[in-house]
């Protein structure tokens, strides 16, 4: 370690700031980040603030290189409070105040919330299909899943009512009851379905949560990628008795590499999650928080919203191209929702019982990578005719290539894992298989089927596309096991 000539902080020897006029210069245009699944388009991470460069010097640099308070750097939490007040002010109960905790991505917030609330064997209400990162975080608890159906308007109220009708509200007062403690949902353009929970369904869902005294975990990283200009009311803003914990993320609108998300909710609950963060990572990276704050502070709330609108407009245009390609090449072969936002198209292949084999063998051989539907269900061993395509990274031209992933030769059949003859031979059609539709990686590489697979194509796929994600998930699961063994 060397003492920095520019400040009193001890800087690591490899951090050479001497040529930078006593400053770390942060060149903000463009910031390229690469990851595979659900990765955002790099251009959506372009930070244009002022001249495109901002500098970190003096006191701000000192702070960025030091420990910070667990909830987050005060200037950033203050900025975020103003944002949340504007976007999600609680209505109907003015005395309800919210606190904020900055977490290393919303994934970490989710896991900490689950660990705070759940005990092994508990029940949980979950919309299906659901985000695989959530399912992975829940798996060690060996839970009973109360699955709620979704349709083009998101979580179905009748299905939720039916699922909860086996309990009475009084069960919530009985500690021996297995009544669920929480509902997990994604309100905006869900991962993977791409559709939002319809505005008119939100209050009834919240009322059911209230009736059975359940907490609502509102996981909303795609909120700012809403294609319509109006944002629907969030569950947090509809809450009038302090049962909603909301998770936001900067991963889709600023940068996933910053690893910044934030939990907003009633102070007693946020305080409990903060205690957990205090004994795990202590706080989010001060450098990341400083970068985010510098940028957000320059933009102001309105500037941030304008930036987010630009990102959403980009994804809307990508989505339109993807839908045009699907309409052109997939009519009669697959069905899909029209996304309300986000970066995913959720397709149901006609006549194929399980897309896993189709993707891991046929699609990969054509260098097309998609996520099979089974990864989005609590029971991921069950066959699924669905698949998730991401429209974040591919160009419109790639989506519509003459030899794309989904051009079908209707007369040939694919034998799927379940042995069912399939009408859709999506990946055999023509010559030059090209990367098309998606650069998503397969979430289910850790499951039993991948272990059973010895195909070189599949092994290449795992190595090239999933190693990063695999390591990430392993760390998550091992980390969780360690935390749980210490509790
Ligand atoms: N695939 C996400 N989704 C994803 C994904 C990912 C590596 C991430 C929902 O704030 P963050 O970045 O921690 O966001 C976590 C998160 C929470 N909730 C609904 C999400 O979609 C991010 C990362 C590899 C693959 C990934 O596929 O879908």
């Amino acid at each position: 370690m060397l003492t920095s000539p520019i400040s009193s902080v001890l800087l690591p020897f490899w951090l050479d700031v001497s040529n930078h006029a006593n400053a770390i210069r942060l060149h903000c245009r463009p910031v390229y980040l690469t990851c595979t699944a659900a990765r955002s388009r790099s251009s959506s991470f372009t930070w244009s603030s002022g001249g495109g460069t901002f500098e970190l010097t003096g006191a701000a640099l000192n702070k960025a290189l030091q420990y910070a308070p667990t909830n987050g750097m005060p200037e950033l939490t203050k900025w975020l409070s103003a944002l949340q007040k504007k976007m999600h002010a609680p209505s109907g109960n003015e005395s309800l105040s919210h606190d904020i905790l900055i977490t290393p991505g919303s994934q970490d917030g989710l896991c900490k919330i689950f660990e705070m609330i759940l005990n092994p064997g508990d029940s949980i209400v979950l919309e299906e299909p659901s985000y695989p990162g959530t399912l992975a975080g829940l798996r060690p608890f060996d839970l009973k899943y109360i699955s709620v159906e979704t349709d083009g308007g998101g979580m179905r109220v009748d299905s939720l009512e039916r699922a909860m009708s086996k309990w009475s509200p009084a069960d919530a007062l009985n500690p021996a009851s297995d009544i669920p403690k929480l509902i997990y949902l994604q309100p905006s353009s869900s991962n993977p379905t791409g559709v939002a929970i319809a505005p008119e369904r939100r209050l009834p869902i919240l009322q059911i949560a209230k009736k059975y005294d359940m907490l609502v975990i509102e996981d909303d990283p795609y909120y700012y990628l809403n294609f319509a200009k109006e944002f629907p009311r969030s569950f947090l803003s509809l809450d009038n008795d302090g049962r909603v914990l909301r998770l936001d993320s900067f991963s889709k609108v600023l940068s996933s590499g910053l690893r910044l998300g934030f939990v907003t909710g009633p102070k007693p609950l946020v305080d409990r999650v903060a205690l957990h963060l205090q004994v795990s990572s202590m706080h989010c990276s001060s450098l990341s928080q400083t970068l985010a704050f510098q940028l957000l502070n320059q933009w102001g709330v309105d500037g941030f919203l304008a930036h987010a609108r630009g990102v959403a407009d980009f994804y809307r245009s990508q989505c339109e191209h993807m839908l045009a390609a699907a309409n052109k090449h997939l009519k009669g072969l697959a069905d899909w929702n029209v996304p309300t936002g986000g970066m995913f198209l959720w397709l149901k292949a006609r006549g194929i019982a399980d897309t896993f084999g189709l993707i891991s063998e046929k699609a990969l051989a054509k260098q097309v990578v998609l996520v099979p539907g089974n990864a989005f269900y609590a029971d991921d061993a069950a066959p699924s005719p669905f698949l998730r395509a991401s429209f974040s990274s591919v160009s419109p031209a790639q989506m519509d290539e003459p030899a794309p992933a989904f051009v079908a030769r209707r007369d040939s059949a694919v034998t799927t894992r379940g042995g069912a003859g399939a009408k859709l031979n999506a990946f055999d059609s023509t010559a030059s298989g090209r990367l098309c539709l998606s650069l998503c990686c397969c979430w289910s590489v850790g499951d039993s089927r991948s272990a059973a697979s010895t195909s070189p194509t599949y092994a290449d796929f795992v190595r090239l596309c999933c190693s990063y994600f695999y390591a990430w998930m392993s760390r998550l699961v091992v980390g969780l096991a360690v935390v749980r063994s210490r509790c």
Side-chain angles (χ1 to χ4, degrees), residues 37-38 106-107 131 186 191 219 221-222 249 251 259 388 443 469:
S106 50
Q107 182 71 39
Y131 164 54
Q186 295 178 53
N191 177 2
D219 182 17
Y222 303 99
S249 174
S251 288
R259 303 310 301 130
R388 187 190 81 177
W443 279 85
F469 168 65

Side-chain angles (χ1 to χ4, degrees), residues 37-376:
R39 70 182 201 166
S40 300
R41 178 78 155 213
S42 298
S43 57
S44 69
F45 291 148
T46 300
W47 295 351
S48 33
S49 66
T53 299
F54 60 81
E55 293 188 358
L56 206 48
T57 55
L61 176 61
N62 276 2
K63 272 177 92 174
L65 297 173
Q66 284 292 357
Y67 286 122
T70 296
N71 278 65
M73 296 175 93
E75 57 273 35
L76 182 57
T77 51
K78 193 168 161 217
W79 195 98
L80 293 175
S81 290
L83 177 72
Q84 297 302 69
K85 224 170 229 145
K86 182 175 173 107
M87 307 307 287
H88 309 288
S91 62
N93 182 355
E94 300 316 318
S95 66
L96 189 64
S97 70
H98 290 147
D99 207 0
I100 286 186
L101 170 71
I102 301 175
T103 57
S106 50
Q107 182 71 39
D108 189 67
L110 277 175
C111 285
K112 286 188 165 53
I113 288 170
F114 295 148
E115 286 162 21
M116 169 178 79
I117 301 170
L118 296 170
N119 290 316
D122 277 354
S123 306
I124 175 174
V125 177
L126 197 69
E127 53 183 357
E128 282 202 296
S130 248
Y131 164 54
T134 293
L135 298 174
L138 293 172
R139 201 152 282 136
F141 293 98
D142 204 12
L143 302 170
K144 291 182 204 102
Y145 294 99
I146 313 303
S147 170
V148 179
E149 289 162 49
T150 57
D151 61 17
M155 181 179 268
R156 284 177 48 172
V157 179
D158 60 337
S159 174
L160 176 60
E161 261 165 356
R162 219 176 15 257
M164 290 306 298
S165 63
K166 73 176 263 209
W167 290 279
S168 88
D171 289 332
L173 302 171
N174 174 9
S177 165
D178 66 348
I179 188 169
K181 292 174 178 165
L182 63 87
I183 303 182
Y184 168 83
L185 47 79
Q186 295 178 53
S188 316
S189 40
S190 119
N191 177 2
T193 67
V195 297
I197 299 179
E200 66 277 10
R201 292 186 186 181
R202 297 183 178 208
L203 201 50
I205 291 172
L206 199 54
Q207 279 162 347
I208 294 172
K210 188 170 180 172
K211 180 173 167 190
Y212 294 97
D213 202 12
M214 294 183 283
L215 293 177
V216 175
I217 310 304
E218 178 177 38
D219 182 17
D220 210 1
Y222 303 99
Y223 177 75
Y224 290 106
L225 301 190
N226 192 40
F227 295 159
K229 291 212 163 37
E230 291 292 309
F231 292 104
R233 293 283 303 275
S234 65
F235 282 84
L236 184 71
S237 74
L238 293 168
D239 183 23
N240 62 13
D241 64 347
R243 66 180 61 254
V244 175
L245 270 171
R246 175 179 169 85
L247 294 107
D248 284 273
S249 174
F250 280 137
S251 288
K252 314 298 173 183
V253 280
L254 290 189
S255 148
S256 47
L258 282 179
R259 303 310 301 130
L260 290 179
F262 47 106
V263 177
T264 313
K267 185 168 166 39
L269 291 178
V270 173
D271 280 351
R272 301 299 294 181
V273 187
L275 279 177
H276 191 165
L277 191 74
Q278 204 166 49
V279 299
S280 54
S281 43
M282 295 193 197
H283 59 80
C284 279
S285 155
S286 309
L287 188 56
S288 288
Q289 293 189 58
T290 303
L291 294 181
F293 175 70
Q294 293 284 334
L295 188 65
L296 295 170
N297 198 37
Q298 280 187 27
W299 277 340
V301 167
D302 289 340
F304 166 71
L305 292 176
H307 165 79
R309 173 59 26 224
V311 177
D313 286 347
F314 165 76
Y315 283 110
R316 193 186 55 222
S317 155
Q318 287 288 103
C319 180
E320 282 163 7
H321 288 293
M322 178 71 107
L323 287 171
N327 274 317
K328 188 167 161 189
H329 300 296
L330 285 179
K331 266 230 161 96
L333 299 167
D335 301 291
W336 53 89
N337 296 319
V338 173
T340 56
M343 51 181 73
F344 304 119
L345 185 67
W346 181 238
L347 298 136
K348 183 177 184 188
R350 291 192 190 172
I352 292 184
D354 190 5
T355 54
F356 186 86
L358 187 76
I359 290 168
S360 60
E361 288 156 26
K362 303 269 177 192
L364 279 173
K366 297 284 184 189
Q367 293 170 278
V368 177
V369 190
L370 300 143
V371 188
N374 67 293
F376 301 90

